[in-house]
Amino acid sequence: MKYTWHCHSPLGDITLAGDGTSLTGLWFDGQRYYGAGLEAAPVEKRLPVFAQTEKWLEIYFSGSKPDFTPPLVLTGTPFRTAVWELLLHIPYGHTMRYGEIAAALAEKDIASAASARAVGGAVSHNPISLIVPCHRVTGAGGALTGYAGGIERKRRLLRMEMRSS
């Protein structure tokens, strides 16, 4: 069974999804790929994992780096989950380029011929925005490109992190 909960943030309303014990989704309402993988009629219920996630979001939006991560379940193809796992290692206040992620995957023998474009597809389908920090991924030369939550949100998130780090 899938569960959802709704909360507010300075950048818009957020929908959380979970399986009962772990967070499985976090989307800004109306973003691209909103609710991907969500059952047709999830049950709205405030679960402990949602309370943890709201605490994480409160700390994050106050301009601080949270010192914990709610339990996560990332569901996708092996390639996508490998990309999302790499995103979890991009430090707060820093960015990484799509091409650098493709090279890191090749180094780990996860995808020997992954292109920056393939990485971009995986990043854009990240089901747990913010916590799995897809907003920290930039294009060549540091260009702000492709963010399912919108480029202006990406810009504001990166500015907030840069000021705080």
Side-chain angles (χ1 to χ4, degrees), residues 41-111:
V43 175
E44 176 104 6
K45 183 177 180 181
R46 184 170 164 84
L47 301 171
V49 70
F50 295 155
Q52 288 177 315
T53 303
E54 285 181 301
K55 182 65 178 169
W56 189 98
L57 291 167
E58 179 184 318
I59 294 166
Y60 179 79
F61 282 115
S62 75
S64 297
K65 178 184 179 239
D67 62 356
F68 69 96
T69 302
L72 307 175
V73 171
L74 292 164
T75 304
T77 66
F79 178 77
R80 284 184 178 178
T81 56
V83 170
W84 301 332
E85 291 291 336
L86 277 173
L87 299 183
L88 287 166
H89 297 287
I90 303 172
Y92 181 93
H94 293 83
T95 60
M96 191 171 190
R97 294 186 183 109
Y98 293 103
E100 291 173 315
I101 293 171
L105 292 169
E107 274 182 31
K108 294 178 182 239
D109 286 329
I110 293 170

Side-chain angles (χ1 to χ4, degrees), residues 9 14 25 35 51 53 85 88 103 112 114 119 126 143 145 151 155 157 162:
S9 85
I14 291 174
T53 303
E85 291 291 336
L88 287 166
S112 60
V119 168
N126 169 22
T145 60
I151 292 296
R155 183 176 286 112
L157 292 167
M162 301 293 178

